[in-house]
Amino acid sequence: MKKILEFLAFVLFLQGAGLLVHHFVGWFDLLPLAHRLPFVEGHEVPAAVLLLAAALGVGMASDRVRG
């Protein structure tokens, strides 16, 4: 269970960071999937911050799980 949570935290971190890079630079288009969602359009930065916060929370929760 711990490895699954760590992997989920890693994926959430990649999505959040990729969304920020895509929003500010515009060339990082393959990795972040959130910018393809219609309800995220215009709210890329808050969505990216939310993904990064979720990654932090899941990563912290993975440390609390045994095994």
Side-chain angles (χ1 to χ4, degrees):
M1 183 70 163
K2 182 175 180 152
K3 292 293 182 185
I4 294 171
L5 289 174
E6 288 174 348
F7 177 74
L8 181 62
F10 179 70
V11 169
L12 287 171
F13 176 78
L14 283 180
Q15 292 296 311
L19 189 59
L20 280 178
V21 170
H22 175 71
H23 177 73
F24 288 116
V25 179
W27 58 264
F28 196 63
D29 196 27
L30 291 176
L31 184 63
L33 300 174
H35 77 276
R36 293 186 176 97
L37 299 173
F39 56 86
V40 176
E41 188 172 330
H43 305 286
E44 289 88 1
V45 175
V49 170
L50 180 70
L51 285 169
L52 290 172
L56 181 66
V58 171
M60 290 173 61
S62 72
D63 288 339
R64 310 257 312 162
V65 174
R66 293 184 186 176

